Amino acid sequence: MRSATSPWRIRSALLVVALGFFVGVPILAMFYGALRPSSMAAPPLEFSLKALAAVYLSGEVWASLVGTVAIALAVALIATLVGGVFAWLTARTDVPGKGVIELLVLAPLFTSPFVAAIAWYALAAPRSGLINLALAEVFGVNAPVINVTSAAGIVGVLALVSMPYAYVFISSSLRNMDPALEAASYVNGVGTFRTIRRVTLPLATPAIGSSIMFITIFAAGIFSVPGVLGRRLGFDPLPVLIYRAVTQFHADFAKAAALASLLFLLSAAMLYMYRRLTRLEQRFVTVSGKGFQPRLLPLGRLKPWAIGGITGYAVVCVVLPVLALVVAALSPFASRDFAKMDLSTADLVAVLTDPAVHAAGLNTLVAVVGAALACVVISLLSVFVARIRGRGVTSTALDYVNSFPLAVPGIVLAAGLVWVYIGTPIYATLTLMIIAYVISHLPHSYRLIHNGALQVSPELEEASAVNGCGRVRTALRITTPLLLPSVYASVVLVMIFVIREVNSVILLYTPGTRVLSVLTWDYIADGNLSRAASLGLIQSVFLIAVLVIARLAFRLNLTSAYK
Amino acid sequence: MNITMETGASASAGTSTVDAAALKAQDVTIRYSDVTAVDQLSLTVSRGEFVALLGPSGCGKTTFLRAIAGLNPLSAGSITIDGRPMAGDRLHVPPERRPLNMVFQSYAIWPHMTVRDNVGYGVRGQGIRGRELKERVEETLAAVGLLHYADRYGTELSGGQQQRVAVARALATRPFLMLYDEPLSNLDAGLREQVREQVVDLHHRFDTTTIYVTHDQAEALSMADRVVLMNAGRIEQEADPRTLYHQPASEFAARFVGPINALPATVTDVGEEFTDVMLLGQPGRFLRLSGPARPLVADRTGQAVIRPEYFELTKVGDRSADQPNEEQNVFVGEVTRAAFVGSRIQCVVSAGAMDLAVEISGVGVIEQGDTVSLRVDPTKVIWLDEPSREKQ
């Protein structure tokens, strides 16, 4: 099948090129845009270094870069430490209730960082935050005790929402480790703690490194959390600067593109390191013998502490934010006094009956379904072609193309997409937003379906071939049905990620194409916390509904699918 | 050769005194939620002995080995190593404090360390440093022929080399007890035989006591001083390789170590020197066994077991097969299948209603359709009572 004239050689080359254009052109356009004059009406071949100079030579921007990296690194370190401890607890100790712990730890994965930021603003804003009000009420403390509108607050909220990634990375590394590697250390006379230090930790190092890299990229590119919490920060993180360049009085897309290029280069450097580490990790994968359990450390007297810590985590990360969201949605007027707080459903009702919300809801639905389907189709095509072509240049190229958007924060992608589609009929439509969703979530859907395909032995397809079925029929009749669980998982995951996504569409929407998350941002920008919280609640209900339907209709356990 | 009438347990070769026992396992039971993996198993291993734990997958042999290592806790029973209690009554000495080392099925070579660091890992843990450590590591690596690879990473080696690193790592701590968990099952057939010899050689050279888990009967028979055959969590039979092969205590044991012909029969005539049994479904067809080691009871049913290579085969031209077999223990029949496998010829002879598996030296010429006569010496026929009577 590998003759030079094989039609699949041409077809796969076409797919690689087309996909490469689809995900790569926005980045090229971003660099093009960065070289343009600030007026978008300028002739296509007119170039200017003004935007680049304004970004790369600006002290303010470099300060912002340093601040962004510092925040992102702090987030990555904290999230990896906490997520790693949770992963170790569930994989290597006798802590009770492991299923519940895992559900709690992974919960933030299926909620929106943006809504989490709103909830935490309601909880811990310096003056009106519920925690501060409660402390003032109970202990008579006057000054704000906890302030989430600070660098520490932003780091905390971002660490909470990115912790599940660390957990997934590290716990799957611990679980895939051949238990004999630790057992071999014991029979060599080395005890539990030295074995952790000399065998377990070194073997988990690539996963820990991957977690730090991945979360740094993720946290550096998030616009929504610093957008909500970062107004008194003294500097604007890079994603916020990009947003401001576009929304200032004279929208400057050239400056936005130049800023985006800086954030992109930062992410690309980190992704490069991330891929090197994951390659190292593959070297560490060992053929496991029999499925014996690794030694579970009895926590003994530490058990109450572990359970207490987990309960504390559940209260702080799940219970309190949900409560805060409900209270904020029900209190139309920010109150400085706990006792005099008026609860009213007025804003919730207003939001539910607002035609703008209905329109945004419809847009969201269209975008969610469109993006999820497109992601799945592209991922499936890539996986089929990679399987037909076997290991080699094509499958490596497809892997790169499908993973590349991981290095591209949503807001960077948007800053480039503007320059690709301006002047075309797609510009300022919902389609453009869907394109943004598809590109940014392609890596997730591809990874899920790719991993699913790894479980399907190529011999199943070869058996179809020797039974006289061609490639296409084999793909439709054999491969696709076998991949259905991964396909469902990837549809649901993309839906959830799209519902909660703000970063990529915040630069692309028009009044007619607003989606729910954008509308929520508008409320925040208007200072209407109560309505933003109401929409955040509605969005969370949507997300939970998707999860429950997935669980009931497709028997899909997304928490395990994501691993 | 005598026909064994003993039960398996009494065929044990554990004649050494209890004090000298390197390992003593008593009534060891290991249960997982609802499965009993090891069921009241008792085993004594003498110093310097090479014992193979043989059995089909799922028989509990690896679980038992891991319990000896301390990697699996006991549900009941006790384990002593070198006279020191290791597990039992609320006692569980962790593996790191047992005088043993182990070679794992997956080798478990730490990928983040060089071969040298892998092998020196446990030695260092014993507080040995500097020159002594280096010498110990190099001496052990030289013993497995891998000194040249000391500074490579384990993952850069072939499967066979990794396996030898695993053996060196275990031997480097000079363990009192060496445990092997199916160490050859991931190797090619050719390599396997080579490593077999090497493992036995190292056992003698390092003067250890070895317990070796395998599901491959050729491995167990060729390497071990004593084979412990396990089935469903219990010991089916423990004996030296020859006894296990020629005097199996049960049909399971007989079949597990090699092919057999099992002919259902009833004891008809118990004599001083010989016993005659009548083959079921073959009225008038008798088989003679040599003198019983345990009195056989007339009318008892059971199986006469004959291994394929026990038959002496002669061609009889094409004089009819239905000529009466006046002679004792002779079957005349037609060769219905003959497979030449190099050193041997494996054939099936249809004699009366029986299909007998026969194996002869590959030098002869036997083809399908030949009429042959098969003779089996009475001393070679194995008698197994109907198993329902008494489970050992």
Side-chain angles (χ1 to χ4, degrees):
Chain A
M1 295 311 287
R2 280 180 163 254
S3 67
T5 54
S6 159
W8 285 101
R9 205 175 166 127
I10 298 160
R11 284 173 214 176
S12 59
L14 278 177
L15 179 71
V16 172
V17 170
L19 257 183
F21 262 102
F22 184 61
V23 304
V25 159
I27 298 305
L28 295 179
M30 175 189 76
F31 285 110
Y32 166 78
L35 291 167
R36 297 272 292 158
S38 46
S39 161
M40 292 191 90
L45 285 178
E46 191 181 318
F47 292 100
S48 153
L49 290 175
K50 213 180 108 202
L52 275 185
V55 168
Y56 283 84
L57 301 179
S58 148
E60 186 205 6
V61 171
W62 283 101
S64 159
L65 179 72
V66 170
T68 308
V69 171
I71 285 180
L73 266 179
V75 168
L77 291 176
I78 293 171
T80 302
L81 181 70
V82 180
V85 168
F86 276 118
W88 179 75
L89 277 175
T90 55
R92 289 289 192 280
T93 73
D94 64 345
V95 71
K98 291 179 178 174
V100 178
I101 296 174
E102 187 157 294
L103 199 68
L104 282 172
V105 171
L106 293 181
L109 197 60
F110 306 110
T111 58
S112 148
F114 178 37
V115 174
I118 295 172
W120 275 95
Y121 186 82
L123 267 179
R127 270 185 257 277
S128 57
L130 293 172
I131 293 176
N132 290 324
L133 292 182
L135 290 176
E137 178 76 16
V138 178
F139 298 107
V141 201
N142 243 339
V145 177
I146 168 171
N147 176 11
V148 80
T149 61
S150 61
I154 292 172
V155 167
V157 172
L158 281 173
L160 282 182
V161 298
S162 43
M163 214 252 295
Y165 298 111
Y167 178 86
V168 167
F169 276 113
I170 296 168
S171 76
S172 68
S173 156
L174 288 177
R175 272 167 214 183
N176 293 336
M177 211 178 272
D178 181 357
L181 291 167
E182 284 169 14
S185 170
Y186 302 140
V187 294
N188 268 286
V190 172
T192 310
F193 287 99
R194 275 178 66 211
T195 298
I196 291 176
R197 194 158 54 81
R198 297 193 44 200
V199 175
T200 319
L201 261 183
L203 288 174
T205 302
I208 292 169
S210 299
S211 163
I212 293 174
M213 289 305 157
F214 180 85
I215 294 176
T216 310
I217 296 175
F218 173 76
I222 283 199
F223 155 77
S224 54
V225 175
V228 174
L229 302 176
R231 288 173 207 181
R232 295 186 187 81
L233 211 52
F235 73 94
D236 284 323
L238 274 181
V240 177
L241 278 185
I242 297 173
Y243 172 74
R244 293 214 194 296
V246 170
T247 50
Q248 67 195 8
F249 184 60
H250 285 297
D252 188 346
F253 281 96
K255 188 181 176 194
L259 282 164
S261 71
L262 185 58
L263 187 52
F264 169 75
L265 292 176
L266 178 72
S267 304
M270 285 187 280
L271 186 77
Y272 174 74
M273 285 195 274
Y274 166 68
R275 283 198 72 104
R276 284 195 58 137
L277 280 166
T278 46
R279 205 171 308 151
L280 195 67
E281 188 170 24
Q282 274 157 12
R283 195 166 67 83
F284 276 18
V285 171
T286 41
V287 186
S288 179
K290 300 167 186 129
F292 281 94
Q293 255 208 341
R295 176 188 287 190
L296 297 184
L297 184 75
L299 288 175
R301 273 180 298 170
L302 288 175
K303 203 175 269 185
W305 290 94
I307 296 173
I310 291 155
T311 315
Y313 166 81
V315 169
V316 169
C317 301
V318 181
V319 180
L320 280 184
V322 171
L323 276 179
L325 218 51
V326 173
V327 172
L330 295 180
S331 34
F333 305 104
S335 168
R336 299 279 164 88
D337 191 338
F338 218 38
K340 290 183 192 154
M341 197 177 273
D342 270 335
L343 293 188
S344 138
T345 54
D347 264 342
L348 197 56
V349 171
V351 163
L352 279 172
T353 52
D354 186 347
V357 172
H358 297 165
L362 191 65
N363 283 339
T364 306
L365 193 67
V366 172
V368 160
V369 173
L373 289 182
C375 277
V376 163
V377 168
I378 295 173
S379 306
L380 273 177
L381 264 181
S382 304
V383 166
F384 288 150
V385 168
R387 280 173 88 83
I388 288 170
R389 300 286 299 149
R391 278 167 181 273
V393 183
T394 312
S395 80
T396 311
L398 283 170
D399 210 51
Y400 259 102
V401 167
N402 279 290
S403 311
F404 170 73
L406 268 186
V408 185
I411 199 158
V412 171
L413 178 73
L417 274 175
V418 168
W419 286 99
V420 180
Y421 291 98
I422 190 157
T424 70
I426 290 177
Y427 189 71
T429 63
L430 196 58
T431 311
L432 182 59
M433 290 163 68
I434 293 177
I435 289 173
Y437 286 134
V438 171
I439 296 177
S440 21
H441 299 116
L442 197 53
H444 299 285
S445 99
Y446 173 77
R447 193 49 51 198
L448 273 177
I449 292 178
H450 176 82
N451 288 349
L454 290 181
Q455 316 283 325
V456 177
S457 159
E459 288 181 2
L460 295 170
E461 288 155 337
E462 286 158 10
S464 166
V466 295
N467 272 286
C469 287
R471 301 291 195 192
V472 176
R473 207 158 148 226
T474 300
L476 292 178
R477 296 279 306 278
I478 307 290
T479 323
T480 306
L482 290 172
L483 287 178
L484 271 188
S486 320
V487 167
Y488 292 148
S490 116
V491 166
V492 173
L493 196 74
V494 171
M495 283 179 142
I496 285 170
F497 283 0
V498 167
I499 290 174
R500 63 180 222 183
E501 170 73 44
V502 216
N503 302 305
S504 56
V505 290
I506 200 71
L507 302 187
L508 301 176
Y509 77 93
T510 62
T513 62
R514 280 191 294 200
V515 289
L516 285 177
S517 58
V518 166
L519 204 57
T520 316
W521 172 255
D522 280 354
Y523 285 136
I524 283 287
D526 290 345
N528 195 336
L529 180 65
S530 165
R531 289 202 174 187
S534 300
L535 258 189
L537 260 186
I538 293 168
Q539 195 199 89
S540 304
V541 170
F542 256 125
L543 288 174
I544 291 167
V546 171
L547 274 179
V548 170
I549 291 170
R551 188 70 190 257
L552 295 182
F554 300 116
R555 306 229 175 129
L556 202 66
N557 186 350
L558 211 61
T559 52
S560 58
Y562 193 74
K563 287 178 284 178
Chain B
M1 198 166 298
N2 286 321
I3 297 159
T4 179
M5 293 303 150
E6 295 172 322
T7 61
S10 57
S12 157
T15 48
S16 44
T17 63
V18 176
D19 292 337
L23 170 87
K24 200 158 184 272
Q26 213 143 24
D27 296 323
V28 167
T29 299
I30 300 166
R31 267 180 238 109
Y32 299 117
S33 50
D34 55 345
V35 183
T36 303
V38 177
D39 192 4
Q40 291 186 303
L41 190 149
S42 295
L43 177 71
T44 305
V45 176
S46 314
R47 261 169 217 266
E49 211 182 352
F50 193 123
V51 170
L53 293 178
L54 175 68
S57 51
C59 73
K61 54 191 191 303
T62 293
T63 307
F64 180 54
L65 189 80
R66 291 174 58 90
I68 296 171
L71 295 166
N72 284 357
L74 306 188
S75 307
S78 66
I79 290 176
T80 345
I81 296 175
D82 196 16
R84 284 182 287 159
M86 289 290 146
D89 207 17
R90 264 173 285 150
L91 171 77
H92 177 84
V93 177
E96 56 267 30
R97 282 193 263 127
R98 298 189 182 198
L100 49 81
N101 214 322
M102 179 165 168
V103 176
F104 293 84
Q105 185 181 14
S106 61
Y107 319 140
I109 302 301
W110 298 302
H112 60 297
M113 296 182 196
T114 59
V115 167
R116 182 188 297 281
D117 291 340
N118 264 281
V119 175
Y121 183 87
V123 185
R124 240 168 210 291
Q126 293 172 337
I128 297 170
R129 297 288 143 89
R131 249 186 76 163
E132 206 187 335
L133 170 70
K134 189 169 177 320
E135 279 170 12
R136 172 80 71 86
V137 168
E138 289 179 357
E139 187 192 338
T140 318
L141 274 176
V144 300
L146 280 181
L147 194 49
H148 294 315
Y149 295 92
D151 296 309
R152 300 255 193 114
Y153 280 87
T155 41
E156 296 166 2
L157 304 182
S158 72
Q161 289 166 333
Q162 288 192 28
Q163 200 272 345
R164 283 188 281 160
V165 174
V167 172
R169 182 177 68 190
L171 283 171
T173 58
R174 302 292 183 262
F176 175 74
L177 196 58
M178 268 292 272
L179 309 176
Y180 288 88
D181 182 14
E182 307 211 18
L184 308 188
S185 58
N186 293 334
L187 297 184
D188 303 335
L191 204 52
R192 233 181 272 174
E193 288 194 22
Q194 200 184 320
V195 181
R196 258 189 226 168
E197 282 171 32
Q198 202 177 16
V199 168
V200 175
D201 179 50
L202 290 168
H203 164 78
H204 293 301
R205 189 136 43 116
F206 285 84
D207 194 24
T208 55
T209 304
T210 301
I211 303 179
Y212 187 101
V213 162
T214 178
H215 64 264
D216 179 342
Q217 90 283 356
E219 225 170 276
L221 295 180
S222 66
M223 298 172 80
D225 299 325
R226 181 155 55 108
V227 179
V228 175
L229 179 66
M230 288 181 65
N231 183 24
R234 290 166 170 264
I235 294 182
E236 187 81 18
Q237 183 174 10
E238 46 176 312
D240 68 273
R242 276 164 210 285
T243 307
L244 179 65
Y245 188 80
H246 294 299
Q247 298 167 31
S250 64
E251 193 189 340
F252 174 84
R255 279 191 197 283
F256 198 83
V257 292
I260 55 167
N261 294 288
L263 311 173
T266 312
V267 177
T268 50
D269 187 11
V270 182
E272 192 63 26
E273 208 178 337
F274 293 108
T275 295
D276 287 333
V277 301
M278 187 177 72
L279 300 183
L280 294 182
Q282 318 260 325
R285 201 147 222 190
F286 292 91
L287 198 58
R288 173 156 285 190
L289 330 174
S290 75
R294 187 183 70 174
L296 277 179
V297 182
D299 293 336
R300 178 165 287 187
T301 56
Q303 286 180 317
V305 170
I306 307 167
R307 293 205 181 273
E309 73 275 18
Y310 288 177
F311 288 112
E312 292 156 32
L313 179 147
T314 37
K315 273 206 220 184
V316 251
D318 52 0
R319 266 185 294 148
S320 68
D322 47 33
Q323 125 190 48
N325 316 311
E326 299 296 324
E327 256 187 288
Q328 279 291 347
N329 292 8
V330 171
F331 304 89
V332 175
E334 192 191 332
V335 176
T336 53
R337 250 187 295 154
F340 176 69
V341 291
S343 60
R344 320 280 302 160
I345 297 175
Q346 296 168 341
C347 42
V348 176
V349 175
S350 177
M354 293 176 292
D355 280 335
L356 297 171
V358 179
E359 189 170 307
I360 58 167
S361 153
V363 182
V365 180
I366 289 294
E367 277 165 4
Q368 197 174 324
D370 286 351
T371 303
V372 295
S373 100
L374 303 171
R375 195 185 162 279
V376 61
D377 192 293
T379 58
K380 292 196 169 169
V381 182
I382 305 157
W383 176 258
L384 297 172
D385 274 343
E386 197 74 359
S388 60
R389 262 159 219 292
E390 175 197 16
K391 182 104 181 154
Q392 23 164 330

